[in-house]
Amino acid sequence: LDASESMKPCFDSLRRHLSAVLEPMQGYVNNVRFGLLTHFAAPHCGKAVYEHTFLGGQGPEMLPKLYGQGSPNDADFFTSDGSLFSRKLGEVRLGANEEMLVALDTALDFPFGSLHNTKRVVAMFSDEKLEEGLETGEYNHKITDIIDKLHARKIKLFVAMPGSDGLYQLAEADQSEVEDVADGDGLSGVDFAKLLGQMGKTISGSSLQATS
């Protein structure tokens, strides 16, 4: 989730409509776990500084757990408790700008369950184009690497953000689904009940195919 200031309406809508992603899965998916990564970027002394928020805390303590030695604590990154997820969304501190490819690359490294019994999904939400982040498209040359990571880790990508060349390139990832939205309004015009419901249907459908 883009956690820049303009995105507050998006956080509120997600909290209100979280159940929409669960309802279509009833009877098809035994255990739904939510992970959370919110992200904003800000300049500091001529450099970009990124702030990540996870379920278990802030980036300075959580990133070493994600990338350090040993296994990360699962509860730091995932929960089956929708009310906890909603509460954590409400506690997120918002910032000035964003750099969503950095956030997406980090989310793809979450400690998902094993491939044989897990459907892995990452949903990315922003009201700014990929090229309009803090570093104005500097990381777009990494999109091919991110697509390769999506394929290698067998992660399905949902995206709701304004259309751009970078987004359309990212949409070339297998089975990705992109909602091209108007920019600069915090996604206030997006029908989250419909969008999250479609996510739930897609996940439950692919789970049913795997079972059969």
Side-chain angles (χ1 to χ4, degrees):
L1 277 168
D2 173 355
S4 58
E5 288 284 356
S6 62
M7 284 289 289
K8 190 175 188 304
C10 174
F11 281 65
D12 295 340
S13 292
L14 279 175
R15 293 175 68 192
R16 287 198 305 271
H17 298 297
L18 197 59
S19 62
V21 78
L22 295 174
E23 290 167 0
M25 298 185 197
Q26 302 301 318
Y28 300 110
V29 180
N30 291 328
N31 180 33
V32 179
R33 301 191 310 157
F34 293 99
L36 177 65
L37 174 62
T38 68
H39 165 94
F40 70 79
H44 180 71
C45 297
K47 296 182 178 180
V49 176
Y50 307 125
E51 177 158 325
H52 299 77
T53 298
F54 303 81
L55 287 174
Q58 303 301 115
E61 60 177 307
M62 296 296 297
L63 288 170
K65 292 183 180 181
L66 184 60
Y67 294 110
Q69 299 296 319
S71 299
N73 183 353
D74 194 64
D76 284 332
F77 298 96
F78 292 105
T79 181
S80 297
D81 184 348
S83 62
L84 172 64
F85 183 87
S86 179
R87 178 168 61 81
K88 291 292 185 179
L89 271 180
E91 295 172 355
V92 170
R93 185 169 71 96
L94 303 179
N97 212 320
E98 69 285 308
E99 193 59 62
M100 293 308 294
L101 285 176
V102 172
L104 175 58
D105 191 41
T106 305
L108 299 183
D109 291 330
F110 269 40
F112 295 95
S114 60
L115 277 170
H116 79 278
N117 65 357
T118 303
K119 292 294 177 184
R120 302 169 170 193
V121 178
V122 168
M124 180 168 70
F125 301 96
S126 177
D127 65 343
E128 297 289 347
K129 298 177 181 178
L130 282 175
E131 291 84 353
E132 294 178 358
L134 180 66
E135 299 188 79
T136 58
E138 179 180 335
Y139 294 109
N140 275 32
H141 69 285
K142 295 287 189 181
I143 290 176
T144 299
D145 293 333
I146 288 177
I147 292 174
D148 288 344
K149 184 186 282 191
L150 283 161
H151 293 168
R153 303 209 70 196
K154 299 189 185 306
I155 296 171
K156 181 175 179 62
L157 178 66
F158 287 87
V159 183
M161 67 187 309
S164 70
D165 290 343
L167 177 64
Y168 301 142
Q169 183 184 354
L170 188 60
E172 294 174 5
D174 291 347
Q175 300 183 19
S176 63
E177 295 194 19
V178 171
E179 181 81 7
D180 188 341
V181 301
D183 58 348
D185 67 349
L187 304 189
S188 60
V190 173
D191 184 343
F192 275 94
K194 180 179 178 181
L195 181 64
L196 296 176
Q198 180 58 42
M199 286 175 55
K201 289 177 184 177
T202 301
I203 296 165
S204 60
S206 60
S207 300
L208 184 60
Q209 290 171 2
T211 303
S212 55

mmCIF file of all heavy atoms in Angstrom, residues 72-101:
data_model
loop_
_atom_site.group_PDB
_atom_site.id
_atom_site.type_symbol
_atom_site.label_atom_id
_atom_site.label_comp_id
_atom_site.label_asym_id
_atom_site.label_seq_id
_atom_site.Cartn_x
_atom_site.Cartn_y
_atom_site.Cartn_z
ATOM 1 N N PRO A 72 12.193 -15.882 9.719
ATOM 2 C CA PRO A 72 11.414 -14.793 10.329
ATOM 3 C C PRO A 72 10.224 -15.350 11.092
ATOM 4 O O PRO A 72 9.738 -16.451 10.815
ATOM 5 C CB PRO A 72 10.960 -13.975 9.115
ATOM 6 C CG PRO A 72 10.964 -14.950 7.977
ATOM 7 C CD PRO A 72 12.077 -15.906 8.254
ATOM 8 N N ASN A 73 9.779 -14.594 12.069
ATOM 9 C CA ASN A 73 8.576 -14.967 12.822
ATOM 10 C C ASN A 73 7.362 -14.746 11.941
ATOM 11 O O ASN A 73 7.107 -13.635 11.484
ATOM 12 C CB ASN A 73 8.488 -14.108 14.093
ATOM 13 C CG ASN A 73 7.302 -14.490 14.963
ATOM 14 O OD1 ASN A 73 6.469 -15.304 14.581
ATOM 15 N ND2 ASN A 73 7.234 -13.891 16.129
ATOM 16 N N ASP A 74 6.594 -15.797 11.702
ATOM 17 C CA ASP A 74 5.468 -15.717 10.777
ATOM 18 C C ASP A 74 4.479 -14.626 11.182
ATOM 19 O O ASP A 74 3.943 -13.922 10.329
ATOM 20 C CB ASP A 74 4.767 -17.079 10.718
ATOM 21 C CG ASP A 74 3.818 -17.193 9.549
ATOM 22 O OD1 ASP A 74 4.284 -17.135 8.397
ATOM 23 O OD2 ASP A 74 2.603 -17.340 9.789
ATOM 24 N N ALA A 75 4.235 -14.469 12.480
ATOM 25 C CA ALA A 75 3.247 -13.499 12.964
ATOM 26 C C ALA A 75 3.676 -12.056 12.708
ATOM 27 O O ALA A 75 2.844 -11.149 12.755
ATOM 28 C CB ALA A 75 2.982 -13.716 14.446
ATOM 29 N N ASP A 76 4.947 -11.835 12.428
ATOM 30 C CA ASP A 76 5.413 -10.489 12.100
ATOM 31 C C ASP A 76 4.950 -10.049 10.710
ATOM 32 O O ASP A 76 4.956 -8.860 10.396
ATOM 33 C CB ASP A 76 6.938 -10.422 12.144
ATOM 34 C CG ASP A 76 7.481 -10.393 13.561
ATOM 35 O OD1 ASP A 76 6.761 -9.903 14.452
ATOM 36 O OD2 ASP A 76 8.611 -10.864 13.765
ATOM 37 N N PHE A 77 4.572 -11.031 9.880
ATOM 38 C CA PHE A 77 4.265 -10.725 8.485
ATOM 39 C C PHE A 77 2.858 -11.125 8.055
ATOM 40 O O PHE A 77 2.326 -10.565 7.102
ATOM 41 C CB PHE A 77 5.289 -11.407 7.574
ATOM 42 C CG PHE A 77 6.694 -10.931 7.805
ATOM 43 C CD1 PHE A 77 7.553 -11.644 8.630
ATOM 44 C CD2 PHE A 77 7.144 -9.753 7.243
ATOM 45 C CE1 PHE A 77 8.846 -11.195 8.867
ATOM 46 C CE2 PHE A 77 8.430 -9.290 7.470
ATOM 47 C CZ PHE A 77 9.281 -10.012 8.292
ATOM 48 N N PHE A 78 2.227 -12.082 8.735
ATOM 49 C CA PHE A 78 0.904 -12.555 8.327
ATOM 50 C C PHE A 78 -0.019 -12.734 9.529
ATOM 51 O O PHE A 78 0.426 -13.023 10.639
ATOM 52 C CB PHE A 78 1.018 -13.916 7.617
ATOM 53 C CG PHE A 78 1.701 -13.865 6.276
ATOM 54 C CD1 PHE A 78 3.000 -14.331 6.137
ATOM 55 C CD2 PHE A 78 1.054 -13.358 5.161
ATOM 56 C CE1 PHE A 78 3.646 -14.290 4.901
ATOM 57 C CE2 PHE A 78 1.679 -13.308 3.925
ATOM 58 C CZ PHE A 78 2.982 -13.782 3.795
ATOM 59 N N THR A 79 -1.322 -12.585 9.266
ATOM 60 C CA THR A 79 -2.331 -12.879 10.279
ATOM 61 C C THR A 79 -3.580 -13.427 9.600
ATOM 62 O O THR A 79 -3.894 -13.061 8.466
ATOM 63 C CB THR A 79 -2.688 -11.630 11.101
ATOM 64 O OG1 THR A 79 -3.659 -11.983 12.102
ATOM 65 C CG2 THR A 79 -3.288 -10.531 10.215
ATOM 66 N N SER A 80 -4.289 -14.295 10.305
ATOM 67 C CA SER A 80 -5.597 -14.766 9.842
ATOM 68 C C SER A 80 -6.721 -13.953 10.470
ATOM 69 O O SER A 80 -7.896 -14.196 10.183
ATOM 70 C CB SER A 80 -5.776 -16.254 10.201
ATOM 71 O OG SER A 80 -4.814 -17.044 9.534
ATOM 72 N N ASP A 81 -6.365 -13.006 11.310
ATOM 73 C CA ASP A 81 -7.332 -12.186 12.053
ATOM 74 C C ASP A 81 -7.616 -10.903 11.277
ATOM 75 O O ASP A 81 -6.805 -9.971 11.272
ATOM 76 C CB ASP A 81 -6.763 -11.877 13.441
ATOM 77 C CG ASP A 81 -7.740 -11.117 14.328
ATOM 78 O OD1 ASP A 81 -8.771 -10.631 13.810
ATOM 79 O OD2 ASP A 81 -7.467 -11.005 15.537
ATOM 80 N N GLY A 82 -8.766 -10.847 10.596
ATOM 81 C CA GLY A 82 -9.127 -9.664 9.817
ATOM 82 C C GLY A 82 -9.241 -8.414 10.655
ATOM 83 O O GLY A 82 -8.915 -7.318 10.191
ATOM 84 N N SER A 83 -9.699 -8.543 11.912
ATOM 85 C CA SER A 83 -9.833 -7.365 12.771
ATOM 86 C C SER A 83 -8.465 -6.801 13.151
ATOM 87 O O SER A 83 -8.288 -5.577 13.250
ATOM 88 C CB SER A 83 -10.638 -7.712 14.030
ATOM 89 O OG SER A 83 -9.978 -8.705 14.794
ATOM 90 N N LEU A 84 -7.480 -7.674 13.352
ATOM 91 C CA LEU A 84 -6.125 -7.204 13.636
ATOM 92 C C LEU A 84 -5.550 -6.475 12.425
ATOM 93 O O LEU A 84 -4.950 -5.406 12.558
ATOM 94 C CB LEU A 84 -5.226 -8.387 14.003
ATOM 95 C CG LEU A 84 -3.734 -8.074 14.139
ATOM 96 C CD1 LEU A 84 -3.482 -7.099 15.292
ATOM 97 C CD2 LEU A 84 -2.918 -9.352 14.337
ATOM 98 N N PHE A 85 -5.761 -7.045 11.242
ATOM 99 C CA PHE A 85 -5.289 -6.415 10.017
ATOM 100 C C PHE A 85 -5.905 -5.024 9.860
ATOM 101 O O PHE A 85 -5.214 -4.052 9.563
ATOM 102 C CB PHE A 85 -5.658 -7.295 8.828
ATOM 103 C CG PHE A 85 -5.154 -6.797 7.504
ATOM 104 C CD1 PHE A 85 -3.886 -7.131 7.054
ATOM 105 C CD2 PHE A 85 -5.940 -5.995 6.693
ATOM 106 C CE1 PHE A 85 -3.412 -6.680 5.826
ATOM 107 C CE2 PHE A 85 -5.485 -5.536 5.469
ATOM 108 C CZ PHE A 85 -4.216 -5.882 5.034
ATOM 109 N N SER A 86 -7.204 -4.926 10.103
ATOM 110 C CA SER A 86 -7.908 -3.654 9.986
ATOM 111 C C SER A 86 -7.366 -2.637 10.996
ATOM 112 O O SER A 86 -7.156 -1.461 10.672
ATOM 113 C CB SER A 86 -9.404 -3.868 10.194
ATOM 114 O OG SER A 86 -10.109 -2.648 10.100
ATOM 115 N N ARG A 87 -7.123 -3.091 12.219
ATOM 116 C CA ARG A 87 -6.598 -2.182 13.251
ATOM 117 C C ARG A 87 -5.213 -1.670 12.878
ATOM 118 O O ARG A 87 -4.903 -0.484 13.047
ATOM 119 C CB ARG A 87 -6.562 -2.899 14.607
ATOM 120 C CG ARG A 87 -5.994 -2.050 15.725
ATOM 121 C CD ARG A 87 -6.244 -2.681 17.086
ATOM 122 N NE ARG A 87 -5.635 -3.984 17.218
ATOM 123 C CZ ARG A 87 -4.348 -4.193 17.512
ATOM 124 N NH1 ARG A 87 -3.544 -3.150 17.679
ATOM 125 N NH2 ARG A 87 -3.873 -5.407 17.650
ATOM 126 N N LYS A 88 -4.376 -2.562 12.357
ATOM 127 C CA LYS A 88 -3.029 -2.147 11.950
ATOM 128 C C LYS A 88 -3.083 -1.132 10.809
ATOM 129 O O LYS A 88 -2.283 -0.194 10.769
ATOM 130 C CB LYS A 88 -2.211 -3.367 11.531
ATOM 131 C CG LYS A 88 -1.863 -4.305 12.674
ATOM 132 C CD LYS A 88 -0.880 -3.665 13.638
ATOM 133 C CE LYS A 88 -0.438 -4.643 14.703
ATOM 134 N NZ LYS A 88 0.550 -4.042 15.644
ATOM 135 N N LEU A 89 -4.037 -1.308 9.897
ATOM 136 C CA LEU A 89 -4.210 -0.320 8.830
ATOM 137 C C LEU A 89 -4.520 1.055 9.411
ATOM 138 O O LEU A 89 -4.029 2.072 8.928
ATOM 139 C CB LEU A 89 -5.350 -0.744 7.896
ATOM 140 C CG LEU A 89 -5.028 -1.633 6.704
ATOM 141 C CD1 LEU A 89 -6.296 -1.925 5.910
ATOM 142 C CD2 LEU A 89 -4.001 -0.987 5.794
ATOM 143 N N GLY A 90 -5.363 1.063 10.443
ATOM 144 C CA GLY A 90 -5.758 2.327 11.053
ATOM 145 C C GLY A 90 -4.648 3.017 11.809
ATOM 146 O O GLY A 90 -4.746 4.213 12.101
ATOM 147 N N GLU A 91 -3.577 2.281 12.131
ATOM 148 C CA GLU A 91 -2.472 2.846 12.912
ATOM 149 C C GLU A 91 -1.315 3.333 12.053
ATOM 150 O O GLU A 91 -0.361 3.918 12.568
ATOM 151 C CB GLU A 91 -1.949 1.778 13.890
ATOM 152 C CG GLU A 91 -2.963 1.361 14.943
ATOM 153 C CD GLU A 91 -2.481 0.179 15.774
ATOM 154 O OE1 GLU A 91 -1.389 -0.374 15.446
ATOM 155 O OE2 GLU A 91 -3.179 -0.197 16.724
ATOM 156 N N VAL A 92 -1.381 3.110 10.735
ATOM 157 C CA VAL A 92 -0.247 3.428 9.867
ATOM 158 C C VAL A 92 -0.013 4.930 9.796
ATOM 159 O O VAL A 92 -0.950 5.722 9.629
ATOM 160 C CB VAL A 92 -0.488 2.858 8.445
ATOM 161 C CG1 VAL A 92 0.559 3.377 7.470
ATOM 162 C CG2 VAL A 92 -0.465 1.341 8.476
ATOM 163 N N ARG A 93 1.249 5.328 9.901
ATOM 164 C CA ARG A 93 1.632 6.729 9.751
ATOM 165 C C ARG A 93 1.841 7.013 8.269
ATOM 166 O O ARG A 93 2.542 6.271 7.573
ATOM 167 C CB ARG A 93 2.927 7.001 10.529
ATOM 168 C CG ARG A 93 3.346 8.459 10.526
ATOM 169 C CD ARG A 93 4.458 8.684 11.530
ATOM 170 N NE ARG A 93 5.723 8.102 11.109
ATOM 171 C CZ ARG A 93 6.681 8.786 10.477
ATOM 172 N NH1 ARG A 93 6.487 10.065 10.170
ATOM 173 N NH2 ARG A 93 7.813 8.211 10.153
ATOM 174 N N LEU A 94 1.221 8.076 7.771
ATOM 175 C CA LEU A 94 1.330 8.437 6.360
ATOM 176 C C LEU A 94 2.453 9.440 6.139
ATOM 177 O O LEU A 94 2.798 10.219 7.031
ATOM 178 C CB LEU A 94 0.000 9.013 5.867
ATOM 179 C CG LEU A 94 -1.220 8.110 6.031
ATOM 180 C CD1 LEU A 94 -2.481 8.807 5.524
ATOM 181 C CD2 LEU A 94 -1.031 6.781 5.324
ATOM 182 N N GLY A 95 3.028 9.417 4.937
ATOM 183 C CA GLY A 95 4.160 10.287 4.650
ATOM 184 C C GLY A 95 3.978 11.085 3.379
ATOM 185 O O GLY A 95 2.868 11.259 2.876
ATOM 186 N N ALA A 96 5.085 11.553 2.823
ATOM 187 C CA ALA A 96 5.023 12.556 1.769
ATOM 188 C C ALA A 96 4.886 11.973 0.370
ATOM 189 O O ALA A 96 4.120 12.463 -0.449
ATOM 190 C CB ALA A 96 6.272 13.433 1.832
ATOM 191 N N ASN A 97 5.622 10.903 0.056
ATOM 192 C CA ASN A 97 5.720 10.437 -1.313
ATOM 193 C C ASN A 97 5.785 8.924 -1.315
ATOM 194 O O ASN A 97 5.540 8.278 -0.293
ATOM 195 C CB ASN A 97 6.959 11.065 -1.981
ATOM 196 C CG ASN A 97 6.763 11.310 -3.462
ATOM 197 O OD1 ASN A 97 6.186 10.496 -4.168
ATOM 198 N ND2 ASN A 97 7.250 12.449 -3.943
ATOM 199 N N GLU A 98 6.127 8.321 -2.461
ATOM 200 C CA GLU A 98 6.162 6.869 -2.570
ATOM 201 C C GLU A 98 7.189 6.453 -3.618
ATOM 202 O O GLU A 98 7.643 7.264 -4.416
ATOM 203 C CB GLU A 98 4.781 6.295 -2.924
ATOM 204 C CG GLU A 98 4.294 6.605 -4.320
ATOM 205 C CD GLU A 98 3.822 8.034 -4.466
ATOM 206 O OE1 GLU A 98 2.991 8.489 -3.677
ATOM 207 O OE2 GLU A 98 4.342 8.696 -5.385
ATOM 208 N N GLU A 99 7.539 5.186 -3.583
ATOM 209 C CA GLU A 99 8.369 4.564 -4.615
ATOM 210 C C GLU A 99 7.929 3.103 -4.680
ATOM 211 O O GLU A 99 8.503 2.218 -4.045
ATOM 212 C CB GLU A 99 9.861 4.697 -4.271
ATOM 213 C CG GLU A 99 10.792 4.365 -5.427
ATOM 214 C CD GLU A 99 10.554 5.261 -6.632
ATOM 215 O OE1 GLU A 99 10.739 6.493 -6.533
ATOM 216 O OE2 GLU A 99 10.149 4.712 -7.673
ATOM 217 N N MET A 100 6.859 2.844 -5.460
ATOM 218 C CA MET A 100 6.112 1.604 -5.322
ATOM 219 C C MET A 100 6.842 0.371 -5.825
ATOM 220 O O MET A 100 6.546 -0.741 -5.380
ATOM 221 C CB MET A 100 4.741 1.739 -5.990
ATOM 222 C CG MET A 100 3.820 2.739 -5.296
ATOM 223 S SD MET A 100 3.648 2.435 -3.513
ATOM 224 C CE MET A 100 2.790 0.847 -3.522
ATOM 225 N N LEU A 101 7.773 0.505 -6.732
ATOM 226 C CA LEU A 101 8.519 -0.681 -7.161
ATOM 227 C C LEU A 101 9.410 -1.206 -6.030
ATOM 228 O O LEU A 101 9.616 -2.417 -5.910
ATOM 229 C CB LEU A 101 9.350 -0.375 -8.404
ATOM 230 C CG LEU A 101 8.556 -0.275 -9.707
ATOM 231 C CD1 LEU A 101 9.475 0.132 -10.856
ATOM 232 C CD2 LEU A 101 7.856 -1.591 -10.042
#
